[in-house]
Coordinates of all heavy atoms in Angstrom, one line a residue:
A446 N 7.5 6.8 -2.2 CA 6.6 7.1 -1.0 C 5.2 6.8 -1.4 O 4.8 6.6 -2.6 CB 6.7 8.7 -0.9
P447 N 4.3 6.6 -0.4 CA 2.8 6.4 -0.8 C 2.3 7.5 -1.6 O 2.6 8.7 -1.4 CB 2.2 6.5 0.7 CG 3.3 6.2 1.6 CD 4.6 6.7 1.1
G448 N 1.6 7.2 -2.7 CA 1.1 8.1 -3.7 C 0.0 9.0 -3.1 O -0.6 8.6 -2.1
A449 N -0.1 10.1 -3.8 CA -1.2 11.0 -3.3 C -2.6 10.3 -3.3 O -3.5 10.7 -2.5 CB -1.2 12.2 -4.1
G450 N -2.8 9.5 -4.1 CA -4.1 8.8 -4.3 C -4.2 7.5 -3.5 O -5.2 6.8 -3.7
H451 N -3.2 7.2 -2.7 CA -3.2 5.9 -1.9 C -4.6 5.7 -1.2 O -5.1 4.6 -1.3 CB -2.0 5.9 -1.0 CG -1.8 4.6 -0.3 ND1 -1.1 3.5 -0.7 CD2 -2.4 4.1 0.8 CE1 -1.2 2.5 0.1 NE2 -2.0 2.9 1.1
A452 N -4.9 6.7 -0.3 CA -6.1 6.6 0.4 C -7.4 6.3 -0.3 O -8.3 5.9 0.2 CB -6.2 7.9 1.3
G453 N -7.4 6.7 -1.6 CA -8.5 6.5 -2.4 C -8.6 5.1 -3.0 O -9.7 4.8 -3.6
L454 N -7.5 4.3 -2.9 CA -7.6 2.9 -3.5 C -8.4 2.0 -2.7 O -8.7 2.2 -1.5 CB -6.1 2.5 -3.6 CG -5.2 3.2 -4.5 CD1 -3.8 2.7 -4.3 CD2 -5.6 3.1 -5.9
P455 N -8.9 1.0 -3.3 CA -9.6 -0.2 -2.5 C -8.7 -0.6 -1.4 O -7.5 -0.7 -1.6 CB -9.9 -1.2 -3.5 CG -9.9 -0.5 -4.9 CD -8.8 0.6 -4.7
L456 N -9.2 -1.0 -0.3 CA -8.4 -1.3 0.9 C -7.6 -2.5 0.6 O -6.3 -2.5 1.1 CB -9.4 -1.7 2.0 CG -8.7 -1.9 3.4 CD1 -7.8 -0.9 3.8 CD2 -9.7 -2.2 4.5
P457 N -8.0 -3.6 0.0 CA -7.1 -4.7 -0.4 C -5.9 -4.3 -1.1 O -4.7 -4.7 -0.9 CB -7.9 -5.7 -1.2 CG -9.3 -5.4 -0.8 CD -9.3 -4.0 -0.6
E458 N -6.0 -3.3 -2.1 CA -4.9 -2.9 -2.9 C -4.0 -2.1 -2.0 O -2.7 -2.3 -2.1 CB -5.3 -2.1 -4.1 CG -4.3 -1.7 -5.1 CD -4.7 -0.9 -6.3 OE1 -5.9 -1.0 -6.5 OE2 -3.9 -0.3 -6.9
R459 N -4.5 -1.2 -1.2 CA -3.7 -0.4 -0.3 C -2.8 -1.4 0.6 O -1.6 -1.2 0.9 CB -4.5 0.5 0.7 CG -4.8 1.8 0.0 CD -5.7 2.7 0.9 NE -7.1 2.4 0.9 CZ -7.9 2.4 1.9 NH1 -7.4 2.9 3.1 NH2 -9.1 2.2 1.9
L460 N -3.4 -2.4 1.2 CA -2.8 -3.4 2.0 C -1.7 -4.1 1.3 O -0.5 -4.3 1.8 CB -3.7 -4.3 2.7 CG -4.6 -3.6 3.8 CD1 -5.6 -4.6 4.3 CD2 -3.8 -3.1 5.0
R461 N -1.9 -4.5 0.0 CA -0.8 -5.1 -0.7 C 0.3 -4.2 -1.1 O 1.5 -4.6 -1.1 CB -1.5 -5.6 -2.1 CG -2.3 -7.0 -1.9 CD -2.5 -7.6 -3.2 NE -3.5 -6.8 -3.9 CZ -4.8 -7.1 -3.9 NH1 -5.3 -8.0 -3.1 NH2 -5.7 -6.3 -4.7
L462 N 0.0 -2.9 -1.3 CA 1.1 -1.9 -1.5 C 1.9 -1.7 -0.2 O 3.1 -1.6 -0.2 CB 0.5 -0.6 -1.9 CG 0.0 -0.5 -3.4 CD1 -0.8 0.8 -3.6 CD2 1.1 -0.7 -4.4
D463 N 1.1 -1.7 1.0 CA 1.8 -1.6 2.2 C 2.8 -2.7 2.5 O 4.0 -2.7 2.9 CB 0.9 -1.6 3.4 CG 0.0 -0.3 3.3 OD1 0.3 0.7 2.8 OD2 -1.2 -0.3 3.9
A464 N 2.3 -3.9 2.1 CA 3.2 -5.2 2.3 C 4.4 -5.1 1.5 O 5.5 -5.6 1.8 CB 2.3 -6.4 2.0
G465 N 4.1 -4.7 0.1 CA 5.4 -4.6 -0.8 C 6.4 -3.7 -0.3 O 7.6 -3.9 -0.3
A466 N 5.9 -2.5 0.2 CA 6.8 -1.5 0.8 C 7.6 -2.1 2.0 O 8.8 -1.8 2.1 CB 6.1 -0.2 1.1
L467 N 6.8 -2.8 2.9 CA 7.5 -3.3 4.0 C 8.5 -4.4 3.7 O 9.6 -4.6 4.4 CB 6.6 -3.8 5.1 CG 5.6 -2.9 5.7 CD1 4.4 -3.5 6.4 CD2 6.4 -2.0 6.8
A468 N 8.3 -5.1 2.5 CA 9.2 -6.1 2.1 C 10.6 -5.4 1.5 O 11.6 -5.9 1.7 CB 8.6 -6.9 1.0
A469 N 10.4 -4.2 0.9 CA 11.6 -3.5 0.4 C 12.4 -2.8 1.5 O 13.6 -2.5 1.1 CB 11.1 -2.5 -0.7
L470 N 11.8 -2.4 2.6 CA 12.4 -1.6 3.5 C 13.6 -2.2 4.3 O 14.7 -1.6 4.4 CB 11.5 -1.1 4.5 CG 10.7 0.2 4.1 CD1 9.5 0.4 4.9 CD2 11.6 1.4 4.1
P471 N 13.6 -3.5 4.7 CA 14.7 -4.1 5.5 C 16.1 -3.9 4.9 O 17.0 -3.5 5.4 CB 14.3 -5.5 5.8 CG 12.7 -5.4 5.8 CD 12.4 -4.4 4.7

């Protein structure tokens, strides 16, 4: 799941984490 500190990360890092999760989900 998104970590508790996700919102505090730099935006580029958050978007890369989002992209990684979306790649794992299908």
Side-chain angles (χ1 to χ4, degrees):
H451 182 95
L454 296 172
L456 184 56
E458 185 174 349
R459 277 184 275 152
L460 291 173
R461 282 192 290 268
L462 288 171
D463 296 337
L467 290 168
L470 277 162

